[in-house]
Coordinates of all heavy atoms in Angstrom, one line a residue:
P210 N -2.4 2.9 6.6 CA -3.9 2.4 6.8 C -4.5 3.1 8.0 O -5.7 3.5 8.0 CB -3.7 0.9 7.1 CG -2.4 0.5 6.4 CD -1.6 1.7 6.5
T211 N -3.7 3.3 9.1 CA -4.3 4.0 10.3 C -3.3 5.1 10.7 O -2.1 4.9 10.6 CB -4.5 3.0 11.4 OG1 -3.3 2.4 11.7 CG2 -5.5 2.0 11.1
P212 N -3.9 6.3 11.1 CA -3.0 7.4 11.4 C -2.1 7.2 12.6 O -1.1 8.0 12.8 CB -4.0 8.5 11.6 CG -5.3 7.9 12.0 CD -5.3 6.5 11.3
D213 N -2.4 6.2 13.4 CA -1.6 6.0 14.7 C -0.6 4.9 14.5 O -0.2 4.3 15.5 CB -2.6 5.8 15.9 CG -3.5 4.6 15.7 OD1 -3.5 4.1 14.5 OD2 -4.1 4.3 16.6
S214 N -0.4 4.5 13.3 CA 0.6 3.4 13.1 C 1.8 3.9 12.3 O 1.6 4.8 11.5 CB 0.0 2.2 12.3 OG -0.4 2.6 11.1
L215 N 3.0 3.4 12.6 CA 4.2 3.8 11.9 C 4.2 3.3 10.5 O 4.0 2.0 10.3 CB 5.4 3.4 12.7 CG 6.8 3.8 12.1 CD1 6.9 5.4 12.1 CD2 7.9 3.2 12.9
Y216 N 4.5 4.1 9.5 CA 4.5 3.6 8.1 C 5.9 3.3 7.7 O 6.9 4.1 7.9 CB 4.0 4.7 7.1 CG 4.1 4.3 5.8 CD1 3.6 3.3 5.2 CD2 5.0 5.2 4.9 CE1 3.6 2.9 3.9 CE2 5.0 4.9 3.5 CZ 4.4 3.7 3.0 OH 4.5 3.4 1.7
H217 N 6.2 2.0 7.3 CA 7.4 1.7 6.8 C 7.4 1.5 5.3 O 6.8 0.6 4.8 CB 7.8 0.3 7.4 CG 8.0 0.4 8.9 ND1 9.2 0.8 9.5 CD2 7.2 0.0 9.9 CE1 9.1 0.8 10.8 NE2 7.9 0.3 11.1
P218 N 8.1 2.3 4.6 CA 8.1 2.2 3.1 C 8.7 0.9 2.7 O 9.5 0.3 3.4 CB 9.0 3.4 2.6 CG 9.8 3.7 3.8 CD 9.0 3.4 5.0
P219 N 8.3 0.4 1.5 CA 8.8 -0.9 1.0 C 10.3 -0.9 0.9 O 10.8 0.2 0.4 CB 8.2 -1.1 -0.3 CG 6.9 -0.2 -0.3 CD 7.3 1.0 0.6
S220 N 11.0 -1.9 1.2 CA 12.4 -2.0 1.1 C 12.9 -2.8 -0.1 O 14.0 -3.3 -0.2 CB 13.1 -2.6 2.4 OG 12.5 -3.9 2.7
T221 N 12.0 -3.0 -1.0 CA 12.2 -3.8 -2.2 C 12.4 -2.8 -3.4 O 12.0 -1.7 -3.4 CB 11.1 -4.7 -2.4 OG1 11.3 -5.4 -3.7 CG2 9.7 -4.0 -2.6
H222 N 13.0 -3.4 -4.5 CA 13.1 -2.6 -5.7 C 11.9 -2.7 -6.6 O 11.9 -2.2 -7.6 CB 14.3 -3.1 -6.5 CG 15.7 -2.7 -5.8 ND1 16.1 -1.5 -5.6 CD2 16.5 -3.6 -5.3 CE1 17.3 -1.5 -4.9 NE2 17.6 -2.8 -4.7
I223 N 10.9 -3.6 -6.2 CA 9.7 -3.7 -6.9 C 8.8 -2.5 -6.6 O 8.5 -2.2 -5.4 CB 9.0 -5.0 -6.5 CG1 9.8 -6.2 -7.0 CG2 7.6 -5.0 -7.1 CD1 9.3 -7.6 -6.6
D224 N 8.3 -1.8 -7.6 CA 7.4 -0.7 -7.5 C 6.0 -1.2 -7.2 O 5.4 -1.8 -8.1 CB 7.5 0.2 -8.7 CG 6.7 1.6 -8.5 OD1 5.8 1.6 -7.7 OD2 7.2 2.6 -9.0
P225 N 5.4 -1.0 -6.0 CA 4.1 -1.5 -5.7 C 3.0 -0.9 -6.5 O 1.9 -1.4 -6.6 CB 3.9 -1.2 -4.2 CG 4.8 0.0 -3.9 CD 6.0 -0.2 -4.9
L226 N 3.3 0.3 -7.2 CA 2.2 0.9 -7.9 C 1.9 0.2 -9.1 O 0.7 -0.1 -9.5 CB 2.6 2.4 -8.2 CG 1.7 3.2 -9.1 CD1 0.3 3.3 -8.5 CD2 2.3 4.6 -9.5
G227 N 2.9 -0.2 -9.9 CA 2.7 -0.8 -11.2 C 3.1 -2.2 -11.5 O 2.9 -2.9 -12.5
Y228 N 3.9 -2.8 -10.6 CA 4.5 -4.2 -10.8 C 3.4 -5.1 -11.0 O 2.5 -5.3 -10.2 CB 5.3 -4.5 -9.6 CG 6.1 -5.9 -9.9 CD1 7.2 -5.9 -10.7 CD2 5.6 -7.1 -9.4 CE1 7.8 -7.1 -10.9 CE2 6.2 -8.2 -9.5 CZ 7.4 -8.3 -10.3 OH 8.0 -9.5 -10.6
G229 N 3.5 -5.8 -12.1 CA 2.5 -6.9 -12.5 C 1.2 -6.4 -13.0 O 0.4 -7.2 -13.3
K230 N 1.1 -5.1 -13.2 CA -0.2 -4.5 -13.7 C -0.1 -4.0 -15.1 O 1.0 -3.8 -15.7 CB -0.6 -3.4 -12.8 CG -0.9 -3.7 -11.4 CD -1.4 -2.5 -10.6 CE -1.7 -2.9 -9.2 NZ -2.1 -1.8 -8.3
V231 N -1.2 -3.9 -15.8 CA -1.3 -3.6 -17.3 C -2.1 -2.4 -17.5 O -3.2 -2.3 -17.0 CB -1.8 -4.8 -18.1 CG1 -1.9 -4.4 -19.5 CG2 -1.0 -6.0 -17.8
A232 N -1.6 -1.4 -18.2 CA -2.4 -0.2 -18.6 C -2.4 -0.1 -20.1 O -1.5 -0.5 -20.8 CB -1.6 1.0 -18.0
I233 N -3.6 0.4 -20.6 CA -3.7 0.8 -21.9 C -3.8 2.3 -22.0 O -4.5 2.9 -21.3 CB -5.0 0.2 -22.6 CG1 -5.0 -1.4 -22.5 CG2 -5.3 0.7 -24.0 CD1 -6.3 -2.0 -23.0
V234 N -3.0 2.9 -23.0 CA -3.0 4.4 -23.2 C -3.3 4.7 -24.6 O -2.5 4.2 -25.5 CB -1.6 4.9 -22.8 CG1 -1.6 6.4 -23.0 CG2 -1.2 4.6 -21.3
T235 N -4.3 5.4 -24.9 CA -4.6 5.9 -26.2 C -3.9 7.2 -26.4 O -3.6 8.0 -25.5 CB -6.1 6.1 -26.4 OG1 -6.6 7.2 -25.8 CG2 -6.9 4.9 -26.0
G236 N -3.5 7.5 -27.6 CA -2.8 8.7 -28.0 C -1.4 8.7 -27.4 O -0.9 9.8 -26.9
C237 N -0.7 7.6 -27.4 CA 0.5 7.4 -26.7 C 1.8 7.9 -27.4 O 2.8 8.0 -26.7 CB 0.8 5.9 -26.5 SG 1.1 5.0 -27.9
A238 N 1.5 8.4 -28.6 CA 2.8 8.7 -29.3 C 3.3 10.1 -29.2 O 4.5 10.5 -29.6 CB 2.5 8.5 -30.9
S239 N 2.5 11.0 -28.5 CA 3.0 12.4 -28.3 C 2.2 13.0 -27.1 O 1.3 12.4 -26.7 CB 2.8 13.2 -29.6 OG 1.3 13.2 -29.8
G240 N 2.7 14.2 -26.7 CA 2.1 15.0 -25.7 C 1.8 14.3 -24.4 O 2.6 13.6 -23.9
I241 N 0.6 14.5 -23.9 CA 0.3 13.9 -22.6 C 0.3 12.3 -22.6 O 0.8 11.7 -21.7 CB -1.2 14.4 -22.2 CG1 -1.1 15.8 -21.9 CG2 -1.6 13.6 -20.9 CD1 -2.5 16.5 -21.6
G242 N -0.2 11.8 -23.8 CA -0.2 10.3 -23.9 C 1.2 9.7 -23.8 O 1.5 8.7 -23.1
L243 N 2.2 10.4 -24.4 CA 3.5 9.9 -24.4 C 4.1 10.1 -22.9 O 4.8 9.2 -22.4 CB 4.4 10.7 -25.3 CG 6.0 10.4 -25.2 CD1 6.2 8.9 -25.5 CD2 6.7 11.3 -26.3
S244 N 3.8 11.2 -22.3 CA 4.3 11.4 -20.9 C 3.7 10.3 -19.9 O 4.4 9.8 -19.0 CB 4.0 12.8 -20.4 OG 4.8 13.8 -21.0
V245 N 2.5 10.1 -20.1 CA 1.8 9.1 -19.3 C 2.4 7.7 -19.5 O 2.7 6.9 -18.5 CB 0.3 9.0 -19.5 CG1 -0.4 7.8 -18.9 CG2 -0.4 10.3 -19.1
T246 N 2.7 7.3 -20.7 CA 3.3 6.1 -21.0 C 4.6 5.9 -20.5 O 5.0 4.9 -19.8 CB 3.5 6.0 -22.7 OG1 2.1 5.9 -23.2 CG2 4.2 4.6 -23.0
Q247 N 5.5 7.1 -20.5 CA 6.8 7.0 -20.0 C 6.8 6.8 -18.4 O 7.5 6.1 -17.8 CB 7.6 8.2 -20.3 CG 7.9 8.3 -21.9 CD 8.4 9.7 -22.2 OE1 8.0 10.8 -21.6 NE2 9.2 9.8 -23.3
L248 N 5.9 7.6 -17.9 CA 5.7 7.6 -16.4 C 5.2 6.2 -15.9 O 5.6 5.7 -14.8 CB 4.9 8.7 -15.9 CG 5.0 9.1 -14.5 CD1 6.4 9.4 -14.1 CD2 4.1 10.3 -14.2
L249 N 4.2 5.6 -16.6 CA 3.7 4.3 -16.2 C 4.8 3.2 -16.3 O 4.9 2.4 -15.4 CB 2.5 3.9 -17.1 CG 1.2 4.6 -16.9 CD1 0.3 4.3 -18.0 CD2 0.6 4.1 -15.5
L250 N 5.6 3.3 -17.4 CA 6.7 2.3 -17.4 C 7.7 2.5 -16.4 O 8.3 1.5 -15.9 CB 7.4 2.5 -18.9 CG 6.5 2.0 -20.0 CD1 7.1 2.5 -21.4 CD2 6.3 0.5 -20.0
S251 N 7.9 3.7 -16.0 CA 8.9 4.0 -14.9 C 8.4 3.4 -13.5 O 9.3 3.2 -12.7 CB 9.2 5.5 -14.7 OG 8.1 6.2 -14.0
H252 N 7.2 3.2 -13.4 CA 6.6 2.6 -12.2 C 6.3 1.1 -12.4 O 5.6 0.5 -11.7 CB 5.3 3.3 -11.9 CG 5.4 4.6 -11.2 ND1 5.8 4.7 -9.9 CD2 5.2 5.9 -11.6 CE1 5.9 6.1 -9.5 NE2 5.6 6.8 -10.6
Q253 N 7.0 0.5 -13.4 CA 6.9 -0.9 -13.7 C 5.6 -1.5 -14.2 O 5.4 -2.7 -14.2 CB 7.4 -1.7 -12.5 CG 8.9 -1.4 -12.1 CD 9.4 -2.2 -11.0 OE1 8.7 -2.8 -10.2 NE2 10.7 -2.4 -11.0
F254 N 4.7 -0.6 -14.7 CA 3.6 -1.1 -15.4 C 3.9 -1.7 -16.8 O 5.0 -1.3 -17.3 CB 2.5 0.1 -15.8 CG 1.7 0.6 -14.7 CD1 2.1 1.4 -13.7 CD2 0.4 0.0 -14.5 CE1 1.2 1.8 -12.8 CE2 -0.4 0.3 -13.5 CZ -0.1 1.3 -12.6
S255 N 3.2 -2.6 -17.3 CA 3.2 -3.0 -18.6 C 2.2 -2.2 -19.3 O 1.1 -2.0 -18.9 CB 2.9 -4.5 -18.8 OG 3.9 -5.3 -18.2
V256 N 2.6 -1.6 -20.5 CA 1.8 -0.6 -21.2 C 1.5 -1.1 -22.7 O 2.5 -1.4 -23.4 CB 2.4 0.8 -21.2 CG1 1.5 1.7 -21.9 CG2 2.6 1.2 -19.7

Side-chain angles (χ1 to χ4, degrees):
T211 58
D213 58 349
S214 64
L215 181 62
Y216 174 61
H217 295 281
S220 58
T221 174
H222 294 296
I223 294 176
D224 190 328
L226 176 59
Y228 184 78
K230 296 181 180 179
V231 177
I233 297 176
V234 181
T235 72
C237 69
S239 62
I241 295 171
L243 175 58
S244 288
V245 170
T246 298
Q247 293 169 330
L248 200 52
L249 285 168
L250 289 168
S251 75
H252 283 287
Q253 297 187 332
F254 278 89
S255 294
V256 178

